[in-house]
Amino acid sequence: MAAVQWRSRGRNYDAELQRCRPEAALVEFGDYHPLKPIMVTDTKTRRGTRKGSTSSSSSSSSSAPADPLSSMLDGTDPLSMFAAASASEAPAMSHSVSAGDLGRKKREKEEEVVGADFEPWSSKRGEILARFTTTEKLSINLCMGSDKGKAPSPGSAVSEKVRTRLEELDDLEEGSQRELLNLSQQDYANRIEELNQSLKEAWASDQKVRALKIVIQCSKLLSDTSVIQFYPSKFVLITDILDTFGRLVYDRIWTMCSDPRPLPDSFTVDDVNDTAKETCLNWFFKIASIRELLPRLYVEAAILKCNRFLNKSGIQETLPRLTAMIRGIGDPLVAAYTRAYLCRVGMEVAPHLKDSLNRNFFDLLGTFRQISGDSVQNQLVLQRVEVPEYLTLYSPAINWILQCIAYRAPELLLTEMMDRCKKLGNNALLLNSVMRAFRPEFVAARATDFIGMIKDCDEAGFPKHLLFGSLGRSLACADPPESERLTILNEAWKVVTKVRNPQDYVNCAEIWVEFTCRHFTKREVNTVLADIIKHMTPDRAFEDAYPQLQSVIRKILTYFHDFSLLFSMERFLPFLDMFQKDSVRVEVCRSIMEVFIKHQVEPTRDPVILNAMLHICKTMHDSVNALTLDDEKRSLALLIIGFIRMVSFGRDFEQQLSFCVEARATFCNLEPVLVQLIHTVNQLAMETSTVMRGSHSRKTAAFVRACAAYSFITVPSLSSIFSRLSLYLLSGQVALANQCLSQADAFLKAAVSILPEVPRSISVEGKLRSSESFLLDFINNFLATLLVVPDHPEHGVLYLVRGLLNMVQDYTWEDNSDAKVRVYVSALPLLAAMSQETYLYSIPKVDSNETLYGGDPKFLSEINKLCETLIGQILDHLKALGRDEQSTRRQCALAFSLFGVLLAHGDLRNNKLSQLAVNLWNLSHKHGYCETRISVRTLEYIKHQAHLPDMTHLTDTVQRLALQSRT
């Protein structure tokens, strides 16, 4: 291809813009418009209409075209068809519903009493195991019978079956004795889990009698209170085995009923076949033959649900019987947990039978007298257990029983419970469980009565601060009468503040902080904080109470969103000083920042808030070190950035800049924060320009130069090369907008000077990616800015453009890359725009090259020479691509791109330039890689342009452009 002489075509941007605007067309009111709402109506045929006529409901305007989706269905919308079918079938179905079905549905509705608001036993299991521990050695006594199977008795008489059962039970109860001694708590738990697995294995291998033996022997362990502190945890472990056994038996019988068709969950006795009933009865007869009371009770309770297979009222009759049987257990602690297990099973299978639950509870109240009896007291002396510690062993059982009773119970039941507590001399253990079991609304309404009852409790039996803690939990969820709130707080805090043990104190104080924040002002909250500091500071007790102290902060932040009010509390910041551990202190600061960002709506300049938040942000920043993870740094930086965005000094721009200077020194280790500060200062400069309406005074001109200096000093401290490039360019644009030409020049030169530092690959979200696409985006943005940048009087014509192109020439691009040549192609539109008499865009009060040179021929000559050089480089690259068959696709794409530039910006009246355009078109279509659709649209555009008065020369050019089919 021969060398060409470049000449840019003259552009009238205003006229071109006018031609590109779509023609206005009047739309009548009734015409269809894509933004008009579409009315979708259900069309139904009326009954009783004459044959051949239809009647439909009103639809959308007749002038609107038919919905293409509806037309594809030919009027048979599948959803409408289903709806019509359901409507037609409904009358028939209504007649087929029997009275039995209705009764069953009613029964199901009654039984579905336990909802998601009922806290299940499984959620309490872990807490009990963690709370009730021991260091003493434990033992397991197992009396396992022979595993040899019994020969089946001939005949089927009932007496023979009974004899067989008794023989199995005798073998089971009189087998070989095995005792495991000196077990640690973990060993004991592991052994119980092994027994649970043995039960499952025995069942899976059809050794049903052996499975029953395991369950009976485990149930017997619940009568052992030799290590009484561990009893609640032992109960949890062993009842897991009972639950497993109950599920296995129930599933076995249910499976027997499911042949040949599955048994529904809502089955009745009539659905159960005789074989399943006989098997179920067999299990109950086996269990009834167990001689000892405790295992017989537990095992029958475990399979209580199986009564559903025998008769409708089986569960209703069995629960009262089992409840009465528990009265035969002598040890009050063992009896209490047996009642808890029965209540647990009862809530699962028949939650509507509350009478048995209530009877269980009243029986439990009767056993409290046994605690002061000789047998219990002697046992406590023998095991060296104090009465308060012994009473806490009852808590899980009593809490569970009361939870079952109080679930969706009327308010009247709480009054009855309070009266019974008074008759028992305000038993502290019972009172504590009552407050925790009933709905907080009921407890809050009687808060004053409960405080009176707590005062009358015996301090020795159960500490009063625990009772106030339970009351405080209810009051945190529900509001007591307004007139009583201050009295309640004063009475509670009198007790709380007297607690000497720091751990007990902070556990209770943490609960009442929420009540104080919920109903009182900063004065009362400040008093509470002062009291907590007073109790927790001696001997650095706060070091063992960080979770509770963090909870106090969270509760305060939940109710106090006015940070000027919060930081004006005298004791709030001293309270924060108690968080001495670095990780905890940072976590607390993070929680404060999250609330501030979420709830601080208006920007602030309050010095109290700014000083406190700067201190908090500095604490987070100073926690960053070489070992800090990138995600952690990013998270902290986002919080600090959120604070910086909320700081505004209004029209006091100098104060705002001073704040940014201080913040830069404070947060120098977090790069995203420095980037935000540069953006903030650039925005500050633009706000100054807006206030001055683009005409700076001497003072504001000096201020915006100071802003530019801030950015120029800060950008080099960033490690990310692309952050530096983009901020240099942005700051240069801001400087230009404020008529700071020398500062803008410095920014742009700095950006060009660091281009060689750009690595060939960068890390994006932890993965290495080529930096080429990012660099090309930046260069294109940079080129667009250079149009309005005036040349420096001392550096010659187009010195920034030449400097950029020289850097691009020297940069080490990737192998087999067209990036450098694409920059050259992108530079041609810029140079063409620079040669126009009037530029496409400009900056107010900044004289661009159009004004400085005024269309000087020497200036235009320099532009044309530079364009010819670039085109020469591009053509040389195209020739090099043509030598390699594997590069033909790249050659076609690049040729078509250059053709587009020549068409848009070159003066094609020049024959050589026109011939070059035709050659590039042919080259781009030579191998059939160019998309036909784009080629056709390009030809249509050229033909359209050729009809314009100043573009008629394109008629000859378009005739020489031919479409070639793909080979």
Side-chain angles (χ1 to χ4, degrees):
M1 297 180 184
V4 296
Q5 292 181 346
W6 172 268
R7 184 180 175 187
S8 304
R9 77 178 175 92
R11 306 286 293 273
N12 186 338
Y13 293 118
D14 292 336
E16 289 181 25
L17 179 62
Q18 195 64 34
R19 286 198 297 268
C20 290
R21 284 178 177 159
E23 296 181 5
L26 293 176
V27 179
E28 294 183 10
F29 180 75
D31 287 349
Y32 168 76
H33 189 274
L35 297 183
K36 283 178 66 176
I38 298 174
M39 294 175 60
V40 179
T41 57
D42 184 19
T43 303
K44 298 178 182 177
T45 303
R46 293 180 185 169
R47 293 181 181 177
T49 55
R50 288 175 297 178
K51 187 177 181 180
S53 67
T54 58
S55 174
S56 64
S57 61
S58 60
S59 60
S60 56
S61 175
S62 60
S63 61
D67 178 12
L69 297 180
S70 298
S71 63
M72 293 296 292
L73 296 171
D74 297 327
T76 56
D77 175 14
L79 296 180
S80 300
M81 290 171 64
F82 287 139
S86 300
S88 64
E89 291 173 7
M93 289 177 64
S94 64
H95 293 298
S96 65
V97 176
S98 65
D101 291 333
L102 292 173
R104 185 168 67 250
K105 289 180 179 178
K106 184 177 180 181
R107 247 191 338 270
E108 290 171 16
K109 187 175 181 182
E110 287 177 353
E111 291 181 4
E112 289 174 3
V113 178
V114 178
D117 55 337
F118 184 80
E119 186 180 2
W121 173 260
S122 57
S123 65
K124 302 175 181 294
R125 184 180 182 280
E127 179 188 351
I128 295 172
L129 290 174
R131 180 180 172 191
F132 297 98
T133 59
T134 184
T135 56
E136 294 188 28
K137 296 300 180 180
L138 304 165
S139 63
I140 297 179
N141 289 311
L142 293 177
C143 182
M144 300 301 292
S146 172
D147 292 340
K148 296 178 182 177
K150 294 285 180 180
S153 303
S156 58
V158 175
S159 59
E160 292 178 357
K161 290 185 178 180
V162 172
R163 189 183 308 112
T164 301
R165 292 190 194 106
L166 288 174
E167 287 173 356
E168 289 175 349
L169 268 295
D170 286 341
D171 174 58
L172 185 146
E173 295 187 359
E174 297 171 3
S176 59
Q177 190 84 12
R178 187 151 55 101
E179 186 172 13
L180 301 175
L181 302 173
N182 297 324
L183 298 175
S184 67
Q185 179 179 324
Q186 187 59 49
D187 293 337
Y188 190 93
N190 293 340
R191 181 58 187 150
I192 296 296
E193 179 57 31
E194 288 174 13
L195 289 171
N196 201 356
Q197 291 301 319
S198 299
L199 167 65
K200 295 176 183 177
E201 291 169 5
W203 191 272
S205 60
D206 207 27
Q207 299 181 40
K208 304 296 189 297
V209 175
R210 175 169 171 74
L212 181 58
K213 292 177 186 178
I214 294 172
V215 175
I216 293 173
Q217 294 305 317
C218 289
S219 302
K220 287 181 179 181
L221 295 177
L222 289 173
S223 62
D224 176 22
T225 56
S226 57
V227 185
I228 204 164
Q229 304 98 317
F230 185 65
Y231 191 82
S233 293
K234 180 195 289 188
F235 170 80
V236 168
L237 295 171
I238 292 175
T239 51
D240 284 348
I241 295 179
L242 289 164
D243 293 340
T244 301
F245 178 72
R247 278 195 303 273
L248 291 172
V249 173
Y250 183 86
D251 292 346
R252 165 70 176 154
I253 301 172
W254 187 84
T255 306
M256 294 174 70
C257 300
S258 300
D259 189 19
R261 57 182 180 81
L263 190 68
D265 290 336
S266 56
F267 69 89
T268 63
V269 179
D270 299 332
D271 300 323
V272 182
N273 58 46
D274 293 339
T275 305
K277 287 181 180 178
E278 185 177 358
T279 303
C280 186
L281 274 172
N282 188 42
W283 277 112
F284 278 109
F285 288 150
K286 270 189 170 70
I287 292 167
S289 304
I290 300 173
R291 295 177 181 178
E292 293 186 29
L293 172 63
L294 192 65
R296 186 166 72 248
L297 261 171
Y298 269 110
V299 180
E300 184 171 359
I303 67 165
L304 181 66
K305 191 176 181 181
C306 294
N307 279 282
R308 290 184 63 191
F309 298 109
L310 298 177
N311 55 66
K312 297 178 182 179
S313 58
I315 295 175
Q316 191 170 354
E317 294 169 357
T318 304
L319 272 175
R321 177 173 58 80
L322 294 179
T323 301
M325 288 170 63
I326 297 175
R327 296 172 187 167
I329 300 175
D331 192 307
L333 184 65
V334 176
Y337 276 93
T338 309
R339 291 189 175 94
Y341 185 70
L342 187 60
C343 287
R344 186 172 125 202
V345 175
M347 282 299 286
E348 289 177 5
V349 300
H352 56 288
L353 299 178
K354 287 292 184 75
D355 290 342
S356 297
L357 299 177
N358 294 340
R359 191 176 294 110
N360 248 318
F361 176 70
F362 296 144
D363 286 350
L364 176 65
L365 296 183
T367 62
F368 278 141
R369 290 189 297 270
Q370 293 178 255
I371 296 175
S372 56
D374 292 341
S375 62
V376 173
Q377 293 298 321
N378 292 339
Q379 186 182 20
L380 297 183
V381 171
L382 187 65
Q383 297 194 36
R384 293 192 289 275
V385 176
E386 299 293 332
V387 173
E389 184 183 358
Y390 175 71
L391 289 176
T392 59
L393 301 178
Y394 286 85
S395 295
I398 297 176
N399 289 345
W400 177 257
I401 294 172
L402 274 170
Q403 178 185 325
C404 296
I405 293 173
Y407 182 64
R408 295 183 181 175
E411 196 170 357
L412 188 63
L413 182 60
L414 176 58
T415 305
E416 183 182 347
M417 290 294 176
M418 292 174 69
D419 292 340
R420 287 187 173 271
C421 286
K422 290 175 183 177
K423 289 178 183 178
L424 287 171
N426 291 329
N427 183 284
L429 179 65
L430 179 59
L431 187 60
N432 185 63
S433 297
V434 167
M435 287 189 291
R436 298 187 67 168
F438 281 86
R439 289 173 56 185
E441 295 84 359
F442 298 167
V443 176
R446 297 166 174 76
T448 305
D449 295 336
F450 274 111
I451 287 176
M453 295 172 69
I454 292 172
K455 284 182 178 179
D456 295 338
C457 284
D458 182 13
E459 181 79 28
F462 200 88
K464 287 185 179 180
H465 69 268
L466 295 180
L467 296 173
F468 273 105
S470 297
L471 179 61
R473 287 189 187 91
S474 295
L475 298 183
C477 303
D479 300 334
E482 188 173 355
S483 58
E484 301 175 7
R485 291 172 186 171
L486 184 59
T487 305
I488 291 170
L489 179 62
N490 287 333
E491 291 295 336
W493 207 258
K494 283 179 186 176
V495 175
V496 174
T497 195
K498 291 178 182 177
V499 179
R500 294 183 179 180
N501 184 291
Q503 200 64 37
D504 292 340
Y505 167 83
V506 76
N507 286 336
C508 195
E510 171 214 345
I511 297 169
W512 281 91
V513 163
E514 184 163 3
F515 177 77
T516 310
C517 295
R518 190 182 176 105
H519 300 295
F520 297 97
T521 63
K522 73 166 189 175
R523 177 173 169 271
E524 288 79 11
V525 175
N526 192 60
T527 303
V528 169
L529 292 180
D531 194 62
I532 295 175
I533 294 171
K534 176 183 174 183
H535 278 77
M536 303 307 294
T537 304
D539 300 325
R540 299 178 68 85
F542 54 78
E543 292 182 345
D544 298 323
Y546 284 139
Q548 293 88 338
L549 297 178
Q550 283 180 272
S551 177
V552 170
I553 291 291
R554 282 195 297 270
K555 289 172 180 176
I556 293 174
L557 294 174
T558 302
Y559 294 96
F560 285 84
H561 299 151
D562 184 348
F563 279 80
S564 60
L565 194 68
L566 187 65
F567 290 128
S568 63
M569 289 186 200
E570 294 179 7
R571 296 297 176 182
F572 185 75
L573 291 178
F575 187 88
L576 293 183
D577 290 339
M578 285 198 293
F579 296 99
Q580 300 283 321
K581 189 177 179 181
D582 290 344
S583 59
V584 178
R585 185 167 67 246
V586 171
E587 194 61 36
V588 171
C589 292
R590 185 198 293 272
S591 62
I592 295 172
M593 287 303 306
E594 287 171 351
V595 175
F596 177 81
I597 293 170
K598 181 178 180 180
H599 295 285
Q600 185 72 26
V601 180
E602 297 294 329
T604 182
R605 59 184 300 173
D606 188 329
V608 175
I609 294 179
L610 295 186
N611 289 333
M613 296 306 289
L614 271 173
H615 171 72
I616 290 170
C617 289
K618 186 177 187 302
T619 300
M620 293 194 300
H621 170 269
D622 292 348
S623 69
V624 175
N625 54 44
L627 301 177
T628 306
L629 298 174
D630 289 341
D631 286 345
E632 178 73 7
K633 290 181 183 178
R634 194 178 302 114
S635 174
L636 295 176
L638 286 174
L639 293 174
I640 297 173
I641 288 169
F643 162 63
I644 291 171
R645 287 175 175 168
M646 295 308 300
V647 176
S648 174
F649 290 88
R651 290 290 184 89
D652 192 350
F653 295 149
E654 292 182 351
Q655 185 67 30
Q656 186 87 30
L657 182 59
S658 298
F659 169 79
C660 290
V661 171
E662 181 183 356
R664 180 178 62 189
T666 305
F667 309 123
C668 57
N669 290 331
L670 291 173
E671 190 162 305
V673 178
L674 296 180
V675 171
Q676 176 61 37
L677 288 171
I678 295 170
H679 284 306
T680 301
V681 171
N682 283 334
Q683 183 180 357
L684 197 58
M686 294 309 298
E687 288 177 2
T688 306
S689 177
T690 302
V691 170
M692 300 303 295
R693 298 180 181 176
S695 300
H696 284 294
S697 64
R698 179 179 297 178
K699 182 178 180 180
T700 58
F703 177 76
V704 293
R705 285 196 295 272
C707 291
Y710 178 97
S711 299
F712 194 77
I713 293 170
T714 310
V715 170
S717 64
L718 304 177
S719 61
S720 170
I721 183 69
F722 281 103
S723 293
R724 278 185 279 157
L725 284 171
S726 61
L727 287 172
Y728 271 137
L729 178 57
L730 178 64
S731 301
Q733 292 167 345
V734 170
L736 268 180
N738 285 280
Q739 302 108 50
C740 301
L741 300 184
S742 60
Q743 284 79 8
D745 197 61
F747 279 118
L748 298 178
K749 282 199 294 187
V752 172
S753 67
I754 64 171
L755 278 177
E757 299 177 22
V758 176
R760 292 173 63 175
S761 59
I762 57 174
S763 177
V764 179
E765 297 180 354
K767 297 180 180 179
L768 279 180
R769 289 182 53 187
S770 171
S771 63
E772 195 171 276
S773 59
F774 298 97
L775 185 55
L776 287 177
D777 287 343
F778 168 76
I779 291 174
N780 288 333
N781 195 357
F782 192 89
L783 289 171
T785 304
L786 291 182
L787 178 63
V788 294
V789 179
D791 282 339
H792 196 285
E794 298 178 2
H795 294 100
V797 179
L798 304 177
Y799 83 101
L800 278 175
V801 178
R802 294 178 189 276
L804 175 65
L805 294 175
N806 288 336
M807 285 294 180
V808 171
Q809 176 74 26
D810 297 337
Y811 183 77
T812 306
W813 298 94
E814 291 184 16
D815 299 334
N816 301 319
S817 170
D818 302 325
K820 178 170 69 173
V821 181
R822 290 196 175 278
V823 173
Y824 294 162
V825 174
S826 299
L828 291 174
L830 167 67
L831 295 170
M834 282 183 165
S835 64
Q836 304 300 319
E837 293 182 2
T838 303
Y839 283 2
L840 179 59
Y841 48 85
S842 60
I843 295 178
K845 303 185 185 304
V846 174
D847 294 332
S848 301
N849 286 339
E850 61 176 333
T851 305
L852 294 181
Y853 295 108
D856 189 321
K858 291 183 179 179
F859 176 64
L860 297 179
S861 175
E862 289 290 334
I863 290 176
N864 292 338
K865 287 180 182 178
L866 188 53
C867 288
E868 291 165 9
T869 303
L870 293 177
I871 292 175
Q873 294 276 355
I874 297 169
L875 295 179
D876 290 342
H877 186 71
L878 286 172
K879 289 178 184 178
L881 291 176
R883 299 190 193 105
D884 185 0
E885 292 183 1
Q886 296 179 350
S887 303
T888 51
R889 184 183 291 273
R890 289 164 52 200
Q891 184 191 46
C892 294
L894 195 58
F896 193 79
S897 177
L898 181 56
F899 169 79
V901 171
L902 295 182
L903 180 64
H905 302 284
D907 187 357
L908 297 187
R909 288 175 295 188
N910 183 305
N911 291 333
K912 290 185 176 181
L913 206 57
S914 176
Q915 184 59 46
L916 175 61
V918 173
N919 293 342
L920 288 169
W921 172 272
N922 293 333
L923 179 61
S924 64
H925 290 75
K926 181 177 179 181
H927 299 284
Y929 289 127
C930 194
E931 287 193 34
T932 305
R933 181 173 57 87
I934 296 177
S935 300
V936 170
R937 292 181 64 181
T938 303
L939 283 176
E940 289 174 355
Y941 168 77
I942 298 172
K943 291 174 183 178
H944 175 74
Q945 291 291 99
H947 289 92
L948 299 177
D950 55 342
M951 303 291 284
T952 54
H953 58 278
L954 291 178
T955 305
D956 177 58
T957 304
V958 76
Q959 291 175 354
R960 292 188 286 165
L961 302 179
L963 284 176
Q964 297 180 13
S965 61
R966 296 190 180 187
T967 56

